[in-house]
Amino acid sequence: MTPNAWFDAWFAAHRQRSGFHVTRIPFSRLAGWGFDEGTGTLAHESGRFFSVEGLRVEAGDEIGTWEQPVLVQREIGILGLLVKEFGGVLHFLMQAKLEPGNTGAVRLSPTVQATRSNYTGVHRGRPIPYIGHFVPPRTGRLLVDSLQSERSAWFLRKRNRHMVVEAADAVAEHEDFCWLTLGQLRRLMQRDNTLSMEACSVLSCLPGGPTADDGPARHSLGEVISALSEVKARYEVGQHRMPLRAVESWRRLDDEIARPDGRFFKVIAAEVYADSREILHWTQPLLAPVAGGLSVLLTRRFAGVRHVLLHARVEAGSLDVAEFGPTVQCTPGNYRDLPPGRRPRFLDLVLSAPPERILYDTVQSEEGARFHHAENRYRIIDVGDGLDEVPAEFVWVTAGQVAQLLRHSYYLNMQARTLIAVLHGLA
């Protein structure tokens, strides 16, 4: 339906005319947002969207105890892909979506990417296109419907509903949307900052992934699940919401909430003007992480079968203690002064990997609705015959086993789902 050359011109035109202007402002200029005098919580006057609160995490001696700001959003958002066959080939309706926090502003995103506050009109903006395909009384055939976690280092127990719906009837055209095949989407994953992580996350949940390469697995699926359960049982993680103004090692200035050492992230305020969004002018807080994030999936073959090395990770805002993440997920600069024994496992191996072992290497940005310039480098690295034995919180898993896990909720985190979608494309 959409030849590659036509898509390239269409997408470039959207980026050129994005009409997005984002300016950092002091907190005092936020409209509709404010700090609670007692707790210091930063929230919207409607009580909707999200709030910035304090969180104390107690994870025992091995992981430690710390305090941090965290985004709290009770409502569940929809990440929905509308699909339809043309000429016997399944196509996906993708959106050229503007987000204030993205570098370059425009990403190729799911058909619908909206919180309940958005699609119920709390912002009093224009209606969300195609939302009727994903909320009752919807029509069409539901291919995927699962709850998956968002970024648990920054959100407290946040979830999104991942949906893929096959349209039953004709679909109206819209200038900000185009139909692409799965093959086209997988090629676009090879480009920096083109396909959004939200789109990749939903694509990773598609049924019928490439399992032809599957065969004898290093571990049974039961053993894989047990490895995650073991980590959940080992750590008694306490998540205690607390006054934002009382969070230790963080300070609030006129225009940011940050650590004096500049590590991890800061909370800032922004004023946004947009030509083609549901609303055209607004202000909001944004979480701005330290640059240089890294998410890496190590892979190798056992008995000729491709495996990936997943890490059972404990994160501050996890819904149930831990989920499988990539082999390495961190911002190396946050660990620059630590001895090797306290650096993330396999980080040094990843940083020193020879170019011929790197199967995938792009820069992708987190969604820009709440994060400012949150770019991370995503890599898939083949370790050859290395890492036959790994620590207990790591496990080698086949693509087929990952597909089975993704039929359910809360097994893989956002970064791992993104890399799995990429792995399918490489296959």
Side-chain angles (χ1 to χ4, degrees):
M1 286 292 293
T2 308
N4 291 333
W6 188 96
F7 167 79
D8 288 341
W10 173 84
F11 194 63
H14 273 75
R15 284 191 160 174
Q16 289 169 4
R17 63 177 177 84
S18 61
F20 233 41
H21 184 67
V22 182
T23 304
R24 185 170 168 179
I25 60 174
F27 291 124
S28 60
R29 286 181 53 193
L30 284 171
W33 295 81
F35 290 97
D36 181 87
E37 291 185 2
T39 64
T41 292
L42 178 57
H44 193 262
E45 61 187 7
S46 67
R48 304 295 294 272
F49 303 110
F50 63 90
S51 60
V52 184
E53 303 183 21
L55 180 69
R56 179 177 173 84
V57 182
E58 298 173 348
D61 293 338
E62 190 172 344
I63 295 179
T65 296
W66 72 92
E67 297 175 357
Q68 66 170 83
V70 70
L71 303 185
V72 178
Q73 188 169 10
R74 295 186 300 275
E75 60 192 33
I76 295 174
I78 291 177
L79 299 180
L81 280 173
L82 189 64
V83 301
K84 189 174 178 62
E85 282 194 5
F86 296 99
V89 178
L90 198 66
H91 286 64
F92 297 74
L93 187 60
M94 306 302 295
Q95 176 182 185
K97 187 174 179 62
L98 293 165
E99 295 286 14
N102 283 339
T103 54
V106 179
R107 295 289 181 275
L108 200 61
S109 300
T111 318
V112 167
Q113 179 179 326
T115 65
R116 181 179 294 273
S117 293
N118 293 140
Y119 65 77
T120 58
V122 172
H123 54 26
R124 298 187 293 275
R126 292 178 292 194
I128 305 292
Y130 306 110
I131 187 63
H133 292 276
F134 300 94
V135 297
R138 60 178 173 267
T139 59
R141 186 162 66 104
L142 197 60
L143 304 181
V144 171
D145 190 3
S146 66
L147 292 177
Q148 301 292 347
S149 62
E150 204 163 331
R151 299 146 183 87
S152 297
W154 301 333
F155 273 108
L156 180 60
R157 304 173 188 170
K158 176 72 171 68
R159 300 166 291 166
N160 286 315
R161 189 176 181 182
H162 287 44
M163 303 179 72
V164 179
V165 176
E166 185 174 11
D169 303 310
V171 178
E173 294 184 0
H174 191 294
E175 64 177 351
D176 294 332
F177 294 75
C178 72
W179 292 101
L180 295 172
T181 68
L182 185 56
Q184 287 176 303
L185 293 175
R186 286 174 172 165
R187 283 193 292 272
L188 292 172
M189 291 177 192
Q190 309 297 319
R191 301 183 184 178
D192 289 351
N193 286 329
T194 300
L195 200 64
S196 75
M197 289 181 61
E198 284 68 30
C200 291
S201 183
V202 181
L203 290 171
S204 74
C205 298
L206 287 173
T211 58
D213 197 31
D214 263 6
R218 178 78 166 171
H219 306 284
S220 70
L221 187 61
E223 290 171 334
V224 171
I225 294 173
S226 179
L228 181 61
S229 298
E230 183 67 31
V231 171
K232 291 181 179 182
R234 189 166 78 219
Y235 299 110
E236 297 181 0
V237 178
Q239 298 166 324
H240 308 287
R241 290 162 70 173
M242 60 179 295
L244 181 60
R245 67 187 318 142
V247 172
E248 291 186 359
S249 300
W250 295 75
R251 61 185 181 183
R252 182 179 127 194
L253 305 177
D254 291 340
D255 63 348
E256 67 180 25
I257 302 170
R259 288 170 55 103
D261 61 12
R263 296 190 182 189
F264 303 113
F265 63 86
K266 62 181 65 174
V267 179
I268 63 173
E271 182 174 29
V272 185
Y273 289 90
D275 289 344
S276 58
R277 282 288 298 259
E278 296 81 32
I279 55 176
L280 304 180
H281 173 243
W282 71 95
T283 62
Q284 68 168 94
L286 289 169
L287 187 150
V290 171
L294 188 65
S295 292
V296 182
L297 196 61
L298 297 184
T299 180
R300 63 160 291 182
R301 293 183 183 274
F302 290 97
V305 179
R306 177 70 66 187
H307 286 62
V308 295
L309 186 60
L310 298 180
H311 178 205
R313 290 178 54 87
V314 176
E315 294 190 286
S318 294
L319 183 68
D320 186 16
V321 180
E323 287 184 305
F324 283 126
T327 318
V328 174
Q329 178 190 319
C330 70
T331 301
N334 290 330
Y335 303 91
R336 59 184 179 270
D337 300 328
L338 296 181
R342 295 185 58 194
R343 289 161 61 84
R345 185 83 67 162
F346 302 121
L347 175 58
D348 294 324
L349 182 152
V350 162
L351 294 177
S352 61
E356 63 271 17
R357 290 290 185 184
I358 300 175
L359 307 181
Y360 177 81
D361 185 8
T362 68
V363 174
Q364 305 289 356
S365 59
E366 312 282 347
E367 63 95 7
R370 289 153 296 189
F371 307 121
H372 184 260
H373 293 182
E375 292 187 336
N376 292 281
R377 182 165 293 279
Y378 279 76
R379 285 180 172 173
I380 298 177
I381 298 175
D382 192 316
V383 297
D385 295 329
L387 303 185
D388 192 70
E389 299 296 331
V390 294
E393 67 269 24
F394 293 82
V395 62
W396 288 106
V397 186
T398 69
Q401 291 174 322
V402 169
Q404 293 182 66
L405 293 175
L406 285 173
R407 294 174 188 167
H408 309 281
S409 302
Y410 315 133
Y411 277 109
L412 270 72
N413 71 7
M414 174 70 85
Q415 291 84 347
R417 295 194 302 271
T418 298
L419 284 163
I420 291 300
V422 170
L423 185 73
H424 289 175
L426 296 179

